[in-house]
Amino acid sequence: MNTYHHKQPFTLECGTVLPELTIAYHTFGKLNADKSNVVWVCHHLTANSNALEWWPGMIGNGCVISPEKHFIVCANILGSCYGTTGPLSVNPKTNEPYYNDFPFPTVRDIVNAHILLRKHLGLEKIHVMIGGSMGGYQALEWCIKEKEVTDNLILLATSPAESAWG
Protein backbone atom coordinates (compact mmCIF):
# COMPACT_ATOMS: atom_id res chain seq x y z
CA MET A 1 0.00 0.00 0.00
CA ASN A 2 1.16 3.51 -0.85
CA THR A 3 0.18 6.81 0.71
CA TYR A 4 -0.05 10.30 -0.69
CA HIS A 5 0.12 13.17 1.79
CA HIS A 6 -1.58 16.34 0.61
CA LYS A 7 -0.11 18.94 2.95
CA GLN A 8 -2.55 21.68 1.99
CA PRO A 9 -6.04 22.34 3.36
CA PHE A 10 -8.83 20.26 1.83
CA THR A 11 -12.30 21.79 1.85
CA LEU A 12 -15.24 19.42 2.03
CA GLU A 13 -18.61 20.09 0.46
CA CYS A 14 -20.08 20.83 3.92
CA GLY A 15 -17.57 23.67 4.36
CA THR A 16 -15.34 21.90 6.87
CA VAL A 17 -11.64 22.25 6.08
CA LEU A 18 -9.27 19.40 6.85
CA PRO A 19 -5.80 20.88 7.47
CA GLU A 20 -4.22 18.09 5.40
CA LEU A 21 -5.18 14.84 3.76
CA THR A 22 -3.68 11.36 3.48
CA ILE A 23 -4.86 9.00 0.75
CA ALA A 24 -3.95 5.31 0.94
CA TYR A 25 -3.85 3.51 -2.41
CA HIS A 26 -2.57 0.53 -4.36
CA THR A 27 -1.23 0.37 -7.88
CA PHE A 28 -0.68 -2.79 -9.89
CA GLY A 29 1.09 -3.22 -13.21
CA LYS A 30 3.21 -0.71 -15.08
CA LEU A 31 2.28 2.54 -16.74
CA ASN A 32 3.09 2.33 -20.45
CA ALA A 33 5.09 5.02 -22.27
CA ASP A 34 2.10 7.03 -23.49
CA LYS A 35 0.15 6.49 -20.22
CA SER A 36 -2.80 5.02 -22.12
CA ASN A 37 -3.30 1.88 -20.01
CA VAL A 38 -4.70 3.37 -16.78
CA VAL A 39 -7.60 1.55 -15.14
CA TRP A 40 -8.99 3.31 -12.05
CA VAL A 41 -11.09 1.15 -9.74
CA CYS A 42 -13.49 3.05 -7.47
CA HIS A 43 -14.23 0.70 -4.60
CA HIS A 44 -17.53 0.12 -2.84
CA LEU A 45 -18.30 1.34 0.68
CA THR A 46 -16.73 -1.44 2.72
CA ALA A 47 -13.77 -2.36 0.53
CA ASN A 48 -10.14 -1.31 0.71
CA SER A 49 -7.72 -0.24 -2.01
CA ASN A 50 -6.37 -3.74 -2.66
CA ALA A 51 -8.69 -4.62 -5.53
CA LEU A 52 -6.70 -7.79 -6.29
CA GLU A 53 -7.79 -9.07 -2.89
CA TRP A 54 -11.52 -8.44 -3.09
CA TRP A 55 -12.23 -8.72 -6.82
CA PRO A 56 -10.69 -12.03 -7.90
CA GLY A 57 -11.63 -13.14 -11.38
CA MET A 58 -12.10 -9.54 -12.51
CA ILE A 59 -8.73 -8.05 -11.52
CA GLY A 60 -5.48 -10.00 -11.55
CA ASN A 61 -3.08 -11.82 -13.85
CA GLY A 62 -4.99 -13.40 -16.71
CA CYS A 63 -8.18 -11.52 -15.85
CA VAL A 64 -10.15 -8.92 -17.79
CA ILE A 65 -8.30 -6.19 -15.91
CA SER A 66 -4.76 -7.48 -15.71
CA PRO A 67 -1.59 -5.94 -14.26
CA GLU A 68 0.16 -7.61 -17.19
CA LYS A 69 -1.58 -5.11 -19.53
CA HIS A 70 -2.91 -2.31 -17.35
CA PHE A 71 -1.74 0.19 -14.76
CA ILE A 72 -4.43 -0.29 -12.11
CA VAL A 73 -5.10 2.30 -9.40
CA CYS A 74 -7.47 1.88 -6.48
CA ALA A 75 -7.58 4.42 -3.64
CA ASN A 76 -9.26 4.18 -0.26
CA ILE A 77 -12.18 6.54 0.19
CA LEU A 78 -12.12 9.60 2.40
CA GLY A 79 -13.36 8.62 5.86
CA SER A 80 -12.37 4.97 5.53
CA CYS A 81 -10.61 2.92 8.16
CA TYR A 82 -7.98 1.69 5.68
CA GLY A 83 -5.42 4.49 5.79
CA THR A 84 -7.11 7.47 4.13
CA THR A 85 -7.93 10.37 6.43
CA GLY A 86 -10.94 9.47 8.56
CA PRO A 87 -12.32 9.47 12.12
CA LEU A 88 -9.31 7.59 13.55
CA SER A 89 -6.79 9.96 11.94
CA VAL A 90 -5.02 12.42 14.18
CA ASN A 91 -6.29 15.96 13.79
CA PRO A 92 -3.09 18.04 13.46
CA LYS A 93 -4.82 20.94 15.23
CA THR A 94 -5.51 18.93 18.41
CA ASN A 95 -3.03 16.02 18.17
CA GLU A 96 -5.97 13.75 19.02
CA PRO A 97 -8.04 11.49 16.76
CA TYR A 98 -11.01 13.18 15.10
CA TYR A 99 -13.47 10.51 16.28
CA ASN A 100 -16.99 12.04 16.22
CA ASP A 101 -15.63 15.41 15.07
CA PHE A 102 -14.80 13.99 11.65
CA PRO A 103 -17.21 15.45 9.08
CA PHE A 104 -19.42 13.27 6.89
CA PRO A 105 -17.75 13.20 3.46
CA THR A 106 -19.86 13.17 0.31
CA VAL A 107 -19.19 11.24 -2.88
CA ARG A 108 -18.04 14.55 -4.39
CA ASP A 109 -15.52 14.96 -1.54
CA ILE A 110 -14.18 11.45 -2.21
CA VAL A 111 -13.84 12.23 -5.92
CA ASN A 112 -12.11 15.56 -5.23
CA ALA A 113 -9.58 13.73 -3.04
CA HIS A 114 -8.98 11.12 -5.75
CA ILE A 115 -8.48 13.84 -8.35
CA LEU A 116 -5.65 15.17 -6.16
CA LEU A 117 -4.13 11.67 -6.22
CA ARG A 118 -4.59 11.36 -9.99
CA LYS A 119 -2.71 14.62 -10.48
CA HIS A 120 -0.01 13.58 -8.00
CA LEU A 121 0.52 10.36 -9.99
CA GLY A 122 0.86 12.41 -13.19
CA LEU A 123 -2.11 10.73 -14.87
CA GLU A 124 -3.82 12.96 -17.41
CA LYS A 125 -6.16 10.29 -18.82
CA ILE A 126 -7.94 7.26 -17.43
CA HIS A 127 -8.52 4.60 -20.09
CA VAL A 128 -11.15 2.75 -18.02
CA MET A 129 -12.88 3.80 -14.83
CA ILE A 130 -14.83 1.06 -13.11
CA GLY A 131 -16.98 1.14 -10.01
CA GLY A 132 -19.69 -0.88 -8.36
CA SER A 133 -22.23 0.24 -5.78
CA MET A 134 -20.79 3.32 -4.05
CA GLY A 135 -17.78 3.04 -6.36
CA GLY A 136 -20.23 3.55 -9.22
CA TYR A 137 -21.44 6.78 -7.61
CA GLN A 138 -17.83 7.93 -7.48
CA ALA A 139 -17.20 6.98 -11.11
CA LEU A 140 -20.33 8.82 -12.28
CA GLU A 141 -19.48 11.94 -10.27
CA TRP A 142 -15.90 11.89 -11.55
CA CYS A 143 -16.99 11.59 -15.18
CA ILE A 144 -19.30 14.59 -14.74
CA LYS A 145 -16.64 16.62 -12.92
CA GLU A 146 -13.80 15.82 -15.33
CA LYS A 147 -15.49 14.90 -18.62
CA GLU A 148 -12.26 14.95 -20.60
CA VAL A 149 -10.27 12.60 -18.33
CA THR A 150 -12.04 9.23 -18.62
CA ASP A 151 -12.33 7.41 -21.95
CA ASN A 152 -14.44 4.42 -20.85
CA LEU A 153 -16.79 3.90 -17.93
CA ILE A 154 -17.97 0.58 -16.45
CA LEU A 155 -20.69 0.71 -13.80
CA LEU A 156 -22.03 -2.24 -11.78
CA ALA A 157 -24.91 -2.40 -9.29
CA THR A 158 -25.20 1.37 -9.01
CA SER A 159 -27.44 4.24 -10.06
CA PRO A 160 -27.26 7.97 -10.77
CA ALA A 161 -29.18 8.73 -7.55
CA GLU A 162 -29.96 7.03 -4.26
CA SER A 163 -33.29 6.80 -2.53
CA ALA A 164 -33.76 7.40 1.19
CA TRP A 165 -34.21 3.62 1.50
CA GLY A 166 -30.65 3.11 0.18
Side-chain angles (χ1 to χ4, degrees), residues 135-156:
Y137 302 152
Q138 295 166 57
L140 283 168
E141 175 68 27
W142 200 335
C143 286
I144 291 168
K145 189 164 182 66
E146 290 191 320
K147 294 174 184 73
E148 70 289 347
V149 171
T150 301
D151 292 332
N152 300 283
L153 177 63
I154 300 172
L155 302 172
L156 300 107

Side-chain angles (χ1 to χ4, degrees), residues 10-55:
F10 182 79
T11 304
L12 281 78
E13 198 171 10
C14 66
T16 300
V17 178
L18 298 175
E20 59 186 39
L21 180 64
T22 298
I23 302 170
Y25 67 98
H26 279 83
T27 62
F28 306 99
K30 293 188 180 180
L31 192 59
N32 62 12
D34 64 359
K35 299 182 179 182
S36 64
N37 66 333
V38 176
V39 175
W40 197 292
V41 179
C42 297
H43 74 67
H44 55 280
L45 179 61
T46 58
N48 59 44
S49 63
N50 189 350
L52 291 180
E53 211 176 68
W54 53 262
W55 214 347

Side-chain angles (χ1 to χ4, degrees), residues 85-104:
T85 301
L88 296 179
S89 300
V90 174
N91 181 342
K93 289 182 177 178
T94 64
N95 288 321
E96 298 287 332
Y98 284 99
Y99 293 132
N100 292 335
D101 291 333
F102 194 78
F104 290 105

Side-chain angles (χ1 to χ4, degrees), residues 61-79:
N61 291 333
C63 295
V64 174
I65 300 171
S66 171
E68 298 159 330
K69 298 184 282 187
H70 304 104
F71 180 67
I72 304 161
V73 182
C74 185
N76 286 325
I77 61 173
L78 182 63

